[in-house]
Amino acid sequence: MQTLEAIAKRKSTRDFDPNKAVPDEVIDTIVKAGCQAPIGGNQRDSLHLTVCRSKDILDEINQATAAAMKIEPRDFFYGAPAAVFVSAAPKQMAPSVEYANAACVIENMLIAATDAGVDNIYLWGAVQALGRNPELCAKMGIPEGFKPVSAAALGYSLSGAAQPRELSVSLSTNYI
C-alpha cells in the first residue's frame, strides 16, 4: 500500500474482535514505525512505549477511567486485543512538547497499522486516567518520571475493513 492510500484508508475503529490477536511481528513493525517519528529536540529519551496485550490490565484501566470520570464502567479500548501506550517525561526547556511528540509517534503507528491491515484508534481519555494511577503505571512498567499521554488500540474490526476516503482539504486552511 502506498502512503497516501494508507492515510485515506485509516479510520478509527470502535468494534474490535477481542478474540483475534495481532501477530507479534506485526506489532513489532508498528512499534518500529512509531520509533521513526520526528521528536522535538531529538529527545528520544523523553518517550517510552508500552505494548499491552493483557486483557486484565486493559480491564483495570477501564475501571480506573470509569471511576475517574464518575461513569459506569465500559470498554474504552472497544475490545481491542492490544494497545501501545506512549509515555513521556516532561521537558522544562519545551513545556508540553511531549504531547506533540507522542502524537507523531501515534500517527506513524496508526498509518503503519493501516498499511498492515490492522484496524486502530487513537486514544486519549483512558490514558489520562491511567496517568493519575501510579500503582497501575508501575504495574505496566512505565518508568518513574514518565506519564502516559496517548495510546493506539490495535486489532481487527468486527465490521470489516475500512474503505478508502477521497483525500480533501477538510480543515480551515489559507494559503499566503
Side-chain angles (χ1 to χ4, degrees):
M1 187 178 304
Q2 297 293 319
T3 304
L4 293 179
E5 281 181 85
I7 291 169
K9 190 172 182 180
R10 203 218 69 77
K11 75 171 184 104
S12 294
T13 298
R14 291 177 177 86
D15 68 341
F16 292 99
D17 182 344
N19 301 311
K20 188 172 180 187
V22 180
D24 290 341
E25 60 275 4
V26 176
I27 295 269
D28 288 345
T29 298
I30 292 167
V31 169
K32 287 175 186 174
C35 291
Q36 300 310 305
I39 305 298
N42 198 31
Q43 306 223 353
R44 296 189 174 277
D45 63 338
S46 69
L47 295 175
H48 177 82
L49 305 181
T50 302
V51 178
C52 180
R53 293 176 166 281
S54 168
K55 180 168 177 11
D56 291 340
I57 295 285
L58 294 177
D59 286 345
E60 283 187 59
I61 296 168
N62 284 328
Q63 294 293 324
T65 302
M69 297 174 75
K70 296 179 175 49
I71 62 172
E72 289 295 315
R74 68 177 180 90
D75 185 355
F76 294 95
F77 297 94
Y78 306 101
V84 181
F85 295 84
V86 180
S87 300
K91 294 293 181 183
Q92 295 298 329
M93 288 179 44
S96 300
V97 73
E98 65 269 19
Y99 294 100
N101 289 339
C104 290
V105 170
I106 294 289
E107 179 68 6
N108 270 22
M109 288 193 296
L110 298 180
I111 298 303
T114 300
D115 184 61
V118 175
D119 298 305
N120 53 77
I121 188 168
Y122 190 121
L123 301 171
W124 188 82
V127 178
Q128 298 312 299
L130 171 61
R132 292 188 295 274
N133 189 323
E135 297 83 21
L136 191 48
C137 286
K139 190 176 194 177
M140 292 177 64
I142 296 171
E144 192 170 319
F146 282 72
K147 176 185 169 192
V149 294
S150 59
L154 305 170
Y156 299 98
S157 175
L158 289 168
S159 60
Q163 297 304 309
R165 301 175 306 271
E166 183 176 328
L167 293 179
S168 65
V169 177
S170 60
L171 301 175
S172 177
T173 306
N174 71 304
Y175 297 88
I176 54 173

